[in-house]
Amino acid sequence: MCQVRLSYVRIKYLFISWLVVFIGSWIMYVQYSTYTELCRGHDCRRIICDKYKTGVIDGSACSSLCAKETLYFGKCLSTKPNNQIYLGIWGNLQSVIKCQMEEATQLDFGTDPEPRKEIVLFDKPTRGTTVEKFKEMVYGLFKAKLGEQGNLSELVNLILSFADGNKDGRVSLPEAKSAWALLQLEEFLLMVILQDKEHTPKLIGFCGDLYVTERVEYTSLYGISLPWIIELLIPSGFRRNMDQWFTPSWPRKAKIAIGLLEFVEDIFHGPYGNFLMCDTSAKNLGYNDKYDLKMMDMRKIVPEINLKEIIKDRQCDSDLDCIYGTDCRTLCDQSKMRCTTEVIQPNLAKACQLLKDYLLRGAPSDIHEELEKQLYLCIALKVTANQMEMEHSLILNNLKTLLWKKISHTNDS
């Protein structure tokens, strides 16, 4: 009888052990498959270097990436297969490498980009195009994306200066092909426009539609990076609460928050029009070791005029059909079954929504009530409200002043 029970126990534990191994192997396979789909840096490098070696493209990073091999891909940060993001090392310089694995398309509402067409990706400008003709092409592109702006010519000259990767005083055809491909990317265009702004990572180099930016130490507004096996076991609600535990001290959070408010100012009716933040999430924001905010991902920050042009012909049955990204929402006109063009919520309201729990948790008691009041007034802002711009400026200044007064005497300021 004892031997039968012992055999039963052995079989039971053998079965449990087999089940654990099977489930563990399946999870490992799924994670590996996801990683290989998301992280395709070798494909990106191969495509770019093939084009460089055949003389199709050129740029300031091409030689280091493809010939000298001093630009290395490090840790993969990609969240989508078509947008490759890696930590990089360029000589002694820490950097971030971004590479587009799909052909850039116009703004859409949830449809996947078409597969990259290698033959036509770097097809413009064509051989025989003069510098003046290329400048006209770039000017026309900016006019379509940004509308009539008095200083577009200045922006064109800025692009030509950047496109001159080897700094020989002229833009070659391969360099122009790289620049044209990069200008199809909303994030790259915005980074060029905001290069002199504190909260935009600096562009370091490019090759084709691959570009390199400065490294940012902390790649999310808050939270802690955990091994994927632990991530699977933690409920999402508990994970969100846990993220708030792993944040800097409150004065440092206040400084980061001021940086976000300043960035909102930078893109609100700037010299090249108004830009809309269509994915305001913590993972798109980072900060450096001095707690200065840096934008990690600006792919869903788009020119307002461009979004309006695309959305006006969008068919809809409800307001849910009139969303771009996660945060740019308009209304569905039921009489025409078309989306209206006015985005409901301004950038500042979306930023305040993100900052509410972040700032109120641990806020000093003497400003907690006033800070909460200003944040809720901010979240309530609507684009269609009367005197919205005046209210926008007033609330933004109130928040910045409140935060600065509290941290100005600390080392964190």
Side-chain angles (χ1 to χ4, degrees):
M1 184 70 178
C2 184
Q3 286 183 341
V4 171
R5 178 173 294 180
L6 190 61
S7 297
Y8 171 76
V9 169
R10 284 177 177 173
I11 292 171
K12 177 181 176 182
Y13 279 106
L14 184 64
F15 174 75
I16 292 173
S17 299
W18 175 85
L19 189 62
V20 169
V21 170
F22 174 78
I23 293 174
S25 301
W26 179 79
I27 291 173
M28 288 288 289
Y29 171 76
V30 170
Q31 289 294 319
Y32 176 75
S33 299
T34 302
Y35 178 86
T36 54
E37 180 183 354
L38 282 178
C39 300
R40 299 160 60 194
H42 59 288
D43 290 332
C44 174
R45 185 181 181 278
R46 174 183 57 80
I47 293 170
I48 291 293
C49 289
D50 283 349
K51 296 295 183 184
Y52 168 66
K53 289 174 181 177
T54 55
V56 176
I57 60 174
D58 201 357
S60 54
C62 289
S63 177
S64 297
L65 178 68
C66 306
K68 299 176 183 176
E69 296 187 354
T70 54
L71 175 56
Y72 301 101
F73 284 76
K75 180 181 177 182
C76 175
L77 303 177
S78 307
T79 57
K80 292 184 179 180
N82 59 321
N83 289 288
Q84 294 296 293
I85 306 175
Y86 280 80
L87 295 180
I89 301 175
W90 192 352
N92 297 322
L93 191 65
Q94 300 288 321
S95 62
V96 173
I97 303 171
K98 298 190 175 186
C99 180
Q100 185 84 1
M101 288 299 294
E102 309 288 343
E103 186 172 13
T105 58
Q106 283 191 315
L107 303 183
D108 57 34
F109 293 79
T111 57
D112 293 328
E114 298 177 7
R116 181 176 186 158
K117 301 178 179 64
E118 294 182 35
I119 297 175
V120 300
L121 177 61
F122 301 110
D123 63 338
K124 293 179 181 178
T126 56
R127 186 173 298 278
T129 301
T130 64
V131 173
E132 287 304 315
K133 179 63 177 175
F134 181 58
K135 289 174 72 172
E136 290 176 13
M137 289 173 59
V138 175
Y139 186 93
L141 178 68
F142 289 162
K143 186 176 177 181
K145 285 179 174 286
L146 305 173
E148 292 282 0
Q149 303 288 342
N151 46 12
L152 286 185
S153 296
E154 183 181 328
L155 185 57
V156 171
N157 291 331
L158 185 61
I159 290 296
L160 262 65
S161 175
F162 181 81
D164 181 14
N166 57 7
K167 302 305 176 188
D168 62 355
R170 66 184 188 88
V171 178
S172 66
L173 181 62
E175 287 173 336
K177 286 180 181 288
S178 292
W180 184 257
L182 285 168
L183 287 174
Q184 312 310 309
L185 310 177
E186 301 291 349
E187 180 179 53
F188 179 82
L189 174 58
L190 187 58
M191 289 187 79
V192 171
I193 290 173
L194 299 177
Q195 266 304 280
D196 62 338
K197 301 297 184 181
E198 179 184 358
H199 307 297
T200 306
K202 301 305 177 189
L203 283 165
I204 301 172
F206 69 99
C207 183
D209 60 351
L210 174 149
Y211 54 106
V212 187
T213 71
E214 69 170 307
R215 177 91 166 263
V216 177
E217 285 81 357
Y218 302 95
T219 56
S220 182
L221 187 62
Y222 51 72
I224 184 172
S225 178
L226 296 172
W228 60 266
I229 189 66
I230 298 178
E231 291 275 12
L232 289 174
L233 302 175
I234 299 177
S236 59
F238 180 75
R239 180 69 166 105
R240 284 193 297 272
N241 289 332
M242 189 175 73
D243 278 342
Q244 293 288 352
W245 303 339
F246 295 94
T247 58
S249 63
W250 190 86
R252 289 171 173 171
K253 287 196 294 184
K255 186 178 181 183
I256 295 167
I258 290 169
L260 179 56
L261 296 175
E262 288 174 344
F263 180 78
V264 169
E265 280 186 293
D266 289 340
I267 63 173
F268 181 67
H269 294 315
Y272 300 105
N274 190 25
F275 286 79
L276 300 175
M277 300 172 70
C278 295
D279 185 3
T280 315
S281 58
K283 62 182 174 57
N284 293 336
L285 312 175
Y287 54 94
N288 61 19
D289 55 0
K290 295 180 180 178
Y291 300 93
D292 297 316
L293 178 105
K294 297 288 183 180
M295 298 302 297
M296 290 300 302
D297 189 340
M298 298 193 291
R299 283 174 294 162
K300 285 292 191 291
I301 301 178
V302 299
E304 181 179 29
I305 189 171
N306 201 6
L307 181 61
K308 284 184 174 183
E309 188 64 27
I310 299 300
I311 203 172
K312 70 178 183 181
D313 296 322
R314 176 74 178 177
Q315 292 185 338
C316 62
D317 295 316
S318 71
D319 294 344
L320 294 176
D321 297 320
C322 302
I323 302 173
Y324 176 72
T326 57
D327 295 326
C328 286
R329 302 166 181 266
T330 73
L331 300 175
C332 179
D333 185 342
Q334 295 291 337
S335 63
K336 299 177 181 177
M337 305 304 285
R338 290 284 190 277
C339 295
T340 57
T341 60
E342 203 68 57
V343 173
I344 299 170
Q345 201 175 29
N347 293 333
L348 182 59
K350 290 177 273 193
C352 287
Q353 182 68 58
L354 177 64
L355 292 174
K356 179 171 68 70
D357 293 338
Y358 186 71
L359 282 177
L360 291 179
R361 185 183 183 90
S365 57
D366 58 328
I367 67 162
H368 191 283
E369 184 177 346
E370 180 61 21
L371 179 59
E372 186 175 30
K373 173 187 171 183
Q374 291 297 328
L375 285 169
Y376 276 106
L377 285 173
C378 177
I379 293 168
L381 278 173
K382 300 293 182 191
V383 170
T384 54
N386 293 331
Q387 299 181 321
M388 191 281 292
E389 290 194 20
M390 185 182 297
E391 292 180 12
H392 181 286
S393 298
L394 182 63
I395 291 173
L396 192 147
N397 288 330
N398 285 346
L399 279 169
K400 285 174 61 179
T401 301
L402 186 64
L403 295 172
W404 267 125
K405 278 185 177 180
K406 197 61 187 174
I407 69 171
S408 59
H409 62 283
T410 69
N411 294 329
D412 299 303
S413 62

